[in-house]
Amino acid sequence: MTDQRERALAPTRPLGEHRVWPRSFADRLTEPLPTVRELVRVVRECVVRPSAVALKDVPLLPVEPGEVPSPGPGAVSVTWAGHASWVVRIGGLTVLTDPVWSRRIPGTPARITPVGVPWSALPPVDAVVISHNHYDHLDAPTLKRLPRGTAVFVPAGLAGWFRRRGFTRVTELDWWEAAELGGVRFDFVPAAHWSRRTLTDGCRSLWGGWVLSDPARPRLYFAGDSGYGPAFREIGRAHPGIELALLPIGAYAPRSLLRPVHIDPEEAVRAFLDLGAAAMAPMHWATFLLSSEPPLEPLRRLHAAWTAADLPRTALWDLPVGGSRTLEARPVRPAR
């Protein structure tokens, strides 16, 4: 098997390449897909919503919209727009991750906090990365707002969805493949998850996370969605020196259903340690009610797990919705 470090250093694929993929990626699953009957039962029994008592905490969720920073040369800034949507400014590019600016997505109540960055306040968007095709990560109304010439990086098997909607610069990648735009490298890495938008297209496209890097700038990892497993350690070995990991902490209850595909706060801390990252910013909570845990529980449990692991508080970037932080450029060592 190819060593993970060799995978990370593999030559980049051409931008916009048209490729042929297998009809299904079900062989990449780490757990069997939930059946339609199981999904219908969960929705019918309302086990994927917090209790009415827990919903009284919604006004306490952290929301502090601010301006998107303009990082200096060699620096990287991240702004949390909510859920898995980030505005990343790296190497002169503005990159959106799994952009969802809609108030509603199919099958869930309206978002419980406002979008952290108004669409009108965004800098010109150079690129978008998509982790997988679930509605809370691939939002057609939001993507419709983008110029069709925006560079889009997607999992294998998903380019057709974008091309049918007029996007002209779509690059789809398999796990451990990469492409480059404007000097910034986009590496697609594994996750323990699945894909589906209809009852008949399960696993027709791949799922995963993204590592964004530039030799002169900090390296950033965006996890998308994932259950806990060996992929985090493999990613850390393949991409040493991750300075910021954007990791999900919500949508984990009931564990009997969601453990294979969503990490909980304690597993997020384990994933952070597996990655060997310098800092972590939590996401995938405080936005949509996708599961049954109370709205504030993910952050409370994350704080407890972080303290139990004796990790430095300064390495946990628990941003409010709309909050930003900047990674400064690496110092340049003088030549000997």
Side-chain angles (χ1 to χ4, degrees):
M1 180 178 292
T2 305
D3 181 80
Q4 284 95 351
R5 187 70 179 268
E6 293 177 0
R7 286 169 172 164
L9 299 176
T12 55
R13 305 287 308 196
L15 293 174
E17 181 181 17
H18 284 249
R19 305 176 68 178
V20 177
W21 302 102
R23 181 172 175 80
S24 172
F25 292 92
D27 61 321
R28 309 288 186 93
L29 290 169
T30 52
E31 297 281 346
L33 275 177
T35 65
V36 173
R37 178 176 295 180
E38 288 171 333
L39 292 174
V40 170
R41 176 182 60 80
V42 167
V43 173
R44 184 173 61 243
E45 295 177 4
C46 297
V47 298
V48 294
R49 299 288 181 267
S51 68
V53 173
L55 290 177
K56 293 181 180 179
D57 285 341
V58 167
L60 302 178
L61 292 170
V63 180
E64 297 178 20
E67 294 184 0
V68 176
S70 297
V76 172
S77 72
V78 294
T79 303
W80 189 33
H83 202 55
S85 302
W86 294 84
V87 184
V88 179
R89 307 198 75 182
I90 178 172
L93 302 181
T94 297
V95 182
L96 302 184
T97 70
D98 290 357
V100 179
W101 260 250
S102 296
R103 183 171 176 268
R104 288 182 177 273
I105 54 174
T108 68
R111 62 196 306 148
I112 55 175
T113 51
V115 180
V117 184
W119 191 262
S120 60
L122 283 174
V125 177
D126 300 291
V128 170
V129 297
I130 300 295
S131 63
H132 63 294
N133 73 352
H134 287 160
Y135 284 96
D136 59 319
H137 294 258
L138 178 62
D139 182 53
T142 299
L143 293 163
K144 190 175 181 180
R145 299 182 176 193
L146 291 166
R148 296 306 184 267
T150 304
V152 183
F153 297 88
V154 303
L158 198 51
W161 189 94
F162 282 85
R163 290 177 179 139
R164 287 192 297 272
R165 287 159 177 79
F167 286 89
T168 58
R169 300 173 66 201
V170 187
T171 302
E172 54 185 344
L173 299 174
D174 201 344
W175 290 346
W176 306 116
E177 291 185 340
E180 189 173 302
L181 176 71
V184 177
R185 182 176 169 114
F186 296 75
D187 282 86
F188 189 53
V189 293
H193 206 61
W194 58 299
S195 67
R196 170 176 280 163
R197 285 181 79 81
T198 71
L199 295 179
T200 61
D201 68 348
C203 297
R204 295 285 179 86
S205 61
L206 198 50
W207 51 91
W210 293 92
V211 175
L212 276 57
S213 58
D214 184 318
R217 293 168 177 84
R219 178 172 286 172
L220 178 147
Y221 166 61
F222 167 68
D225 271 352
S226 184
Y228 182 75
F232 294 111
R233 192 174 299 276
E234 293 173 2
I235 293 164
R237 289 172 179 166
H239 297 277
I242 293 172
E243 298 195 40
L244 178 62
L246 309 177
L247 289 169
I249 64 167
Y252 51 78
R255 297 307 283 153
S256 59
L257 176 70
L258 295 172
R259 183 184 301 276
V261 292
H262 287 168
I263 54 177
D264 63 21
E266 293 78 16
E267 290 169 331
V269 173
R270 292 170 63 189
F272 169 74
L273 293 170
D274 289 350
L275 291 162
M280 170 186 164
M283 63 174 185
H284 210 272
W285 76 288
T287 310
F288 293 107
L289 297 176
L290 303 176
S291 53
S292 61
E293 75 270 6
L296 280 171
E297 183 182 277
L299 191 62
R300 290 170 177 162
R301 285 177 53 175
L302 177 65
H303 284 166
W306 197 265
T307 300
D310 197 26
L311 292 167
R313 185 63 180 85
T314 54
L316 180 58
W317 294 10
D318 45 345
L319 298 176
V321 176
S324 301
R325 287 286 293 271
T326 298
L327 284 160
E328 298 301 332
R330 301 186 187 101
V332 178
R333 296 180 179 178
R336 295 182 176 179

